[in-house]
Short mmCIF file of all heavy atoms in Angstrom, two decimals:
data_model
loop_
_atom_site.label_atom_id
_atom_site.label_comp_id
_atom_site.label_asym_id
_atom_site.label_seq_id
_atom_site.Cartn_x
_atom_site.Cartn_y
_atom_site.Cartn_z
N TRP A 198 4.52 19.26 -18.60
CA TRP A 198 4.50 19.48 -17.10
C TRP A 198 5.20 20.76 -16.63
O TRP A 198 5.33 20.97 -15.45
CB TRP A 198 5.22 18.29 -16.44
CG TRP A 198 4.49 17.00 -16.70
CD1 TRP A 198 3.18 16.79 -16.97
CD2 TRP A 198 5.05 15.66 -16.74
NE1 TRP A 198 2.81 15.46 -17.13
CE2 TRP A 198 3.97 14.76 -16.97
CE3 TRP A 198 6.29 15.19 -16.49
CZ2 TRP A 198 4.18 13.35 -17.05
CZ3 TRP A 198 6.53 13.79 -16.54
CH2 TRP A 198 5.47 12.90 -16.79
N ASN A 199 5.55 21.65 -17.56
CA ASN A 199 6.23 22.89 -17.17
C ASN A 199 5.16 23.84 -16.63
O ASN A 199 4.88 24.93 -17.27
CB ASN A 199 7.02 23.43 -18.29
CG ASN A 199 7.89 24.61 -17.85
OD1 ASN A 199 8.21 24.70 -16.62
ND2 ASN A 199 8.29 25.46 -18.67
N ILE A 200 4.49 23.48 -15.58
CA ILE A 200 3.34 24.30 -15.02
C ILE A 200 3.73 24.59 -13.59
O ILE A 200 3.82 23.66 -12.75
CB ILE A 200 2.02 23.48 -15.14
CG1 ILE A 200 1.76 23.05 -16.56
CG2 ILE A 200 0.87 24.33 -14.53
CD1 ILE A 200 0.68 22.05 -16.65
N PRO A 201 3.98 25.82 -13.26
CA PRO A 201 4.46 26.16 -11.91
C PRO A 201 3.70 25.52 -10.74
O PRO A 201 4.26 25.00 -9.82
CB PRO A 201 4.43 27.70 -11.87
CG PRO A 201 4.66 28.07 -13.29
CD PRO A 201 3.94 27.03 -14.10
N ALA A 202 2.35 25.64 -10.81
CA ALA A 202 1.54 25.12 -9.70
C ALA A 202 1.67 23.58 -9.60
O ALA A 202 1.79 23.05 -8.46
CB ALA A 202 0.05 25.42 -9.94
N LEU A 203 1.72 22.89 -10.69
CA LEU A 203 1.95 21.45 -10.70
C LEU A 203 3.33 21.08 -10.14
O LEU A 203 3.46 20.21 -9.25
CB LEU A 203 1.76 20.86 -12.07
CG LEU A 203 2.12 19.33 -12.25
CD1 LEU A 203 1.13 18.52 -11.38
CD2 LEU A 203 1.98 18.97 -13.73
N LEU A 204 4.37 21.78 -10.58
CA LEU A 204 5.72 21.53 -10.11
C LEU A 204 5.88 21.79 -8.65
O LEU A 204 6.61 21.15 -7.91
CB LEU A 204 6.70 22.28 -10.96
CG LEU A 204 6.75 21.91 -12.43
CD1 LEU A 204 7.73 22.78 -13.19
CD2 LEU A 204 7.11 20.46 -12.65
N LYS A 205 5.16 22.85 -8.21
CA LYS A 205 5.20 23.19 -6.75
C LYS A 205 4.67 21.97 -5.91
O LYS A 205 5.25 21.65 -4.91
CB LYS A 205 4.37 24.45 -6.49
CG LYS A 205 4.27 24.84 -5.03
CD LYS A 205 3.43 26.10 -4.85
CE LYS A 205 3.31 26.46 -3.35
NZ LYS A 205 2.50 27.72 -3.16
N VAL A 206 3.54 21.40 -6.34
CA VAL A 206 2.99 20.29 -5.65
C VAL A 206 3.84 19.07 -5.74
O VAL A 206 4.05 18.41 -4.67
CB VAL A 206 1.54 20.02 -6.13
CG1 VAL A 206 0.96 18.78 -5.40
CG2 VAL A 206 0.61 21.23 -5.98
N THR A 207 4.39 18.79 -6.88
CA THR A 207 5.30 17.64 -6.96
C THR A 207 6.53 17.74 -6.10
O THR A 207 6.93 16.74 -5.47
CB THR A 207 5.68 17.42 -8.45
OG1 THR A 207 6.46 18.52 -8.94
CG2 THR A 207 4.49 17.19 -9.31
N GLU A 208 7.03 18.94 -6.05
CA GLU A 208 8.25 19.16 -5.19
C GLU A 208 7.89 18.96 -3.75
O GLU A 208 8.65 18.32 -2.94
CB GLU A 208 8.80 20.54 -5.45
CG GLU A 208 10.09 20.80 -4.66
CD GLU A 208 10.72 22.22 -4.97
OE1 GLU A 208 10.16 22.93 -5.82
OE2 GLU A 208 11.72 22.51 -4.39
N LYS A 209 6.77 19.52 -3.34
CA LYS A 209 6.34 19.40 -1.93
C LYS A 209 6.17 17.94 -1.53
O LYS A 209 6.51 17.51 -0.45
CB LYS A 209 5.03 20.16 -1.70
CG LYS A 209 4.50 20.10 -0.29
CD LYS A 209 3.17 20.70 -0.17
CE LYS A 209 3.14 22.16 -0.44
NZ LYS A 209 1.73 22.76 -0.14
N LEU A 210 5.59 17.11 -2.47
CA LEU A 210 5.26 15.76 -2.15
C LEU A 210 6.40 14.79 -2.41
O LEU A 210 6.38 13.62 -1.96
CB LEU A 210 4.01 15.31 -2.91
CG LEU A 210 2.70 15.98 -2.55
CD1 LEU A 210 1.63 15.62 -3.53
CD2 LEU A 210 2.27 15.59 -1.14
N GLY A 211 7.39 15.24 -3.17
CA GLY A 211 8.50 14.34 -3.59
C GLY A 211 8.03 13.27 -4.52
O GLY A 211 8.55 12.15 -4.44
N LYS A 212 7.07 13.58 -5.37
CA LYS A 212 6.52 12.66 -6.34
C LYS A 212 6.77 13.14 -7.72
O LYS A 212 7.06 14.31 -7.98
CB LYS A 212 5.05 12.45 -6.05
CG LYS A 212 4.74 11.86 -4.67
CD LYS A 212 5.30 10.43 -4.53
CE LYS A 212 5.01 9.88 -3.15
NZ LYS A 212 5.55 8.52 -3.01
N THR A 213 6.56 12.27 -8.70
CA THR A 213 6.67 12.70 -10.13
C THR A 213 5.36 13.43 -10.54
O THR A 213 4.34 13.25 -9.93
CB THR A 213 6.87 11.45 -11.06
OG1 THR A 213 5.59 10.74 -11.08
CG2 THR A 213 8.01 10.55 -10.57
N PRO A 214 5.46 14.28 -11.58
CA PRO A 214 4.29 14.94 -12.06
C PRO A 214 3.22 13.90 -12.48
O PRO A 214 2.01 14.15 -12.25
CB PRO A 214 4.80 15.71 -13.25
CG PRO A 214 6.22 16.06 -12.96
CD PRO A 214 6.71 14.81 -12.20
N ALA A 215 3.66 12.81 -13.09
CA ALA A 215 2.64 11.77 -13.47
C ALA A 215 1.91 11.28 -12.28
O ALA A 215 0.67 11.08 -12.29
CB ALA A 215 3.34 10.67 -14.25
N GLN A 216 2.64 10.97 -11.20
CA GLN A 216 1.98 10.42 -10.00
C GLN A 216 1.01 11.49 -9.42
O GLN A 216 -0.12 11.12 -9.01
CB GLN A 216 3.02 10.08 -8.95
CG GLN A 216 3.82 8.82 -9.35
CD GLN A 216 4.97 8.61 -8.45
OE1 GLN A 216 5.67 9.58 -7.93
NE2 GLN A 216 5.44 7.40 -8.28
N VAL A 217 1.35 12.72 -9.39
CA VAL A 217 0.51 13.78 -8.86
C VAL A 217 -0.71 13.88 -9.72
O VAL A 217 -1.88 14.03 -9.20
CB VAL A 217 1.29 15.03 -8.72
CG1 VAL A 217 0.29 16.22 -8.39
CG2 VAL A 217 2.32 14.98 -7.62
N LEU A 218 -0.59 13.87 -11.05
CA LEU A 218 -1.71 14.05 -11.94
C LEU A 218 -2.69 12.84 -11.83
O LEU A 218 -3.95 13.12 -11.77
CB LEU A 218 -1.26 14.12 -13.34
CG LEU A 218 -0.54 15.47 -13.72
CD1 LEU A 218 0.21 15.34 -15.03
CD2 LEU A 218 -1.56 16.62 -13.78
N VAL A 219 -2.18 11.67 -11.70
CA VAL A 219 -3.08 10.52 -11.54
C VAL A 219 -3.76 10.51 -10.19
O VAL A 219 -4.95 10.24 -10.07
CB VAL A 219 -2.35 9.20 -11.84
CG1 VAL A 219 -3.32 7.98 -11.68
CG2 VAL A 219 -1.78 9.15 -13.22
N ARG A 220 -2.99 10.88 -9.16
CA ARG A 220 -3.58 10.95 -7.82
C ARG A 220 -4.63 12.06 -7.79
O ARG A 220 -5.70 11.86 -7.19
CB ARG A 220 -2.48 11.23 -6.77
CG ARG A 220 -2.99 11.40 -5.35
CD ARG A 220 -3.34 10.08 -4.70
NE ARG A 220 -4.14 10.32 -3.50
CZ ARG A 220 -4.28 9.47 -2.49
NH1 ARG A 220 -3.64 8.33 -2.53
NH2 ARG A 220 -5.05 9.72 -1.49
N TRP A 221 -4.44 13.17 -8.42
CA TRP A 221 -5.43 14.31 -8.50
C TRP A 221 -6.74 13.68 -9.12
O TRP A 221 -7.83 13.95 -8.59
CB TRP A 221 -4.92 15.41 -9.37
CG TRP A 221 -5.94 16.43 -9.68
CD1 TRP A 221 -6.27 17.53 -8.91
CD2 TRP A 221 -6.75 16.54 -10.84
NE1 TRP A 221 -7.30 18.28 -9.54
CE2 TRP A 221 -7.59 17.70 -10.70
CE3 TRP A 221 -6.84 15.79 -12.00
CZ2 TRP A 221 -8.50 18.07 -11.69
CZ3 TRP A 221 -7.80 16.15 -13.00
CH2 TRP A 221 -8.57 17.31 -12.84
N SER A 222 -6.60 12.92 -10.18
CA SER A 222 -7.76 12.39 -10.84
C SER A 222 -8.55 11.41 -9.87
O SER A 222 -9.76 11.46 -9.78
CB SER A 222 -7.32 11.58 -12.12
OG SER A 222 -8.41 11.00 -12.71
N LEU A 223 -7.81 10.57 -9.21
CA LEU A 223 -8.43 9.64 -8.27
C LEU A 223 -9.14 10.38 -7.16
O LEU A 223 -10.26 10.06 -6.77
CB LEU A 223 -7.42 8.66 -7.70
CG LEU A 223 -6.85 7.67 -8.71
CD1 LEU A 223 -5.61 6.89 -8.04
CD2 LEU A 223 -7.92 6.64 -9.11
N GLN A 224 -8.51 11.39 -6.61
CA GLN A 224 -9.16 12.17 -5.53
C GLN A 224 -10.33 12.97 -5.99
O GLN A 224 -11.23 13.25 -5.25
CB GLN A 224 -8.09 13.08 -4.87
CG GLN A 224 -7.15 12.35 -4.03
CD GLN A 224 -6.23 13.25 -3.18
OE1 GLN A 224 -5.08 12.78 -2.90
NE2 GLN A 224 -6.62 14.40 -2.79
N ARG A 225 -10.37 13.26 -7.30
CA ARG A 225 -11.57 13.98 -7.82
C ARG A 225 -12.67 12.94 -8.18
O ARG A 225 -13.80 13.33 -8.54
CB ARG A 225 -11.21 14.62 -9.15
CG ARG A 225 -10.40 15.94 -8.95
CD ARG A 225 -11.26 17.08 -8.33
NE ARG A 225 -12.45 17.30 -9.08
CZ ARG A 225 -12.55 18.14 -10.20
NH1 ARG A 225 -11.51 18.79 -10.54
NH2 ARG A 225 -13.71 18.25 -10.79
N GLY A 226 -12.43 11.65 -8.02
CA GLY A 226 -13.44 10.64 -8.22
C GLY A 226 -13.51 10.09 -9.66
O GLY A 226 -14.49 9.44 -10.03
N PHE A 227 -12.48 10.39 -10.46
CA PHE A 227 -12.48 9.90 -11.84
C PHE A 227 -11.76 8.55 -11.96
O PHE A 227 -11.20 8.07 -10.99
CB PHE A 227 -11.75 10.93 -12.74
CG PHE A 227 -12.34 12.32 -12.66
CD1 PHE A 227 -11.49 13.44 -12.62
CD2 PHE A 227 -13.66 12.56 -12.59
CE1 PHE A 227 -11.93 14.75 -12.51
CE2 PHE A 227 -14.22 13.87 -12.49
CZ PHE A 227 -13.31 14.93 -12.47
N VAL A 228 -11.79 7.98 -13.16
CA VAL A 228 -11.07 6.69 -13.42
C VAL A 228 -9.99 7.07 -14.44
O VAL A 228 -10.27 7.14 -15.66
CB VAL A 228 -12.03 5.64 -13.97
CG1 VAL A 228 -11.24 4.36 -14.29
CG2 VAL A 228 -13.15 5.34 -12.96
#
Side-chain angles (χ1 to χ4, degrees):
W198 297 333
N199 189 24
I200 303 168
L203 174 62
L204 296 177
K205 177 181 179 181
V206 176
T207 62
E208 183 177 358
K209 180 189 294 188
L210 293 171
K212 298 296 179 179
T213 68
Q216 289 169 329
V217 169
L218 287 165
V219 179
R220 178 78 196 200
W221 172 85
S222 178
L223 290 170
Q224 289 187 206
R225 286 289 308 273
F227 307 138
V228 178

